[in-house]
Amino acid sequence: VRKPSSFISTISDDRGDELTYAGMPISSVFAQDLGVGGVLSLLWFKRRLPTYATKFIDMVLMVTADHGPAVSGAHNTIVCARAGKDLISSLVSGLLTIGPRFGGALDEAARQF
C-alpha cells in the first residue's frame, strides 16, 4: 500500500481550487497585471514588492535578455573552456570575437576613449 505524498511549499500552493503564489490567487496575479517582476517578488521574496522594485526587475530582464551564452564572445569562451583550454586561452578566444557584429558598444566606447 502506497501512501500519497504531500509536498508543502512555502511559495506556491496548488491544494485548493486555484493556484496561489505567496497567498495570492493566480487569477489576481493576471488581473492586476503584475508582470514578471511581480511574479518573481511573490515567488522569491514571498511578498509583493513595491512597484519601483518590480519595474526594476522587469528592466533588468529586458536589458540583459540578449546577453546570455548565445553571443559569440561568450559562446567561444565556453567552447574553449569545455575543450580543456586554460583560462587565458578561453578568455582570449572570446575577446578576439568582438567585432562590428558584436553590438558595437565596445567600438563606440573605444572611439570616445
Side-chain angles (χ1 to χ4, degrees), residues 72-95:
S72 58
H75 177 77
N76 284 353
T77 303
I78 292 167
V79 168
C80 275
R82 294 294 298 150
K85 295 305 242 179
D86 60 283
L87 176 65
I88 300 300
S89 299
S90 299
L91 178 63
V92 168
S93 76
L95 291 173

Side-chain angles (χ1 to χ4, degrees), residues 47-104:
R47 63 189 176 90
R48 191 156 174 201
L49 294 177
T51 304
Y52 72 88
T54 59
K55 286 187 180 212
F56 178 75
I57 292 171
D58 286 340
M59 182 186 66
V60 167
L61 289 171
M62 285 186 263
V63 168
T64 60
D66 69 335
H67 286 79
V71 294
S72 58
H75 177 77
N76 284 353
T77 303
I78 292 167
V79 168
C80 275
R82 294 294 298 150
K85 295 305 242 179
D86 60 283
L87 176 65
I88 300 300
S89 299
S90 299
L91 178 63
V92 168
S93 76
L95 291 173
L96 289 173
T97 356
I98 296 173
R101 289 187 170 181
F102 197 77

Side-chain angles (χ1 to χ4, degrees), residues 11-29:
I11 301 170
S12 64
D13 186 358
D14 60 359
R15 292 177 293 173
D17 292 334
E18 185 175 6
L19 174 68
T20 61
Y21 290 164
M24 178 180 261
I26 194 73
S27 60
S28 296
V29 170

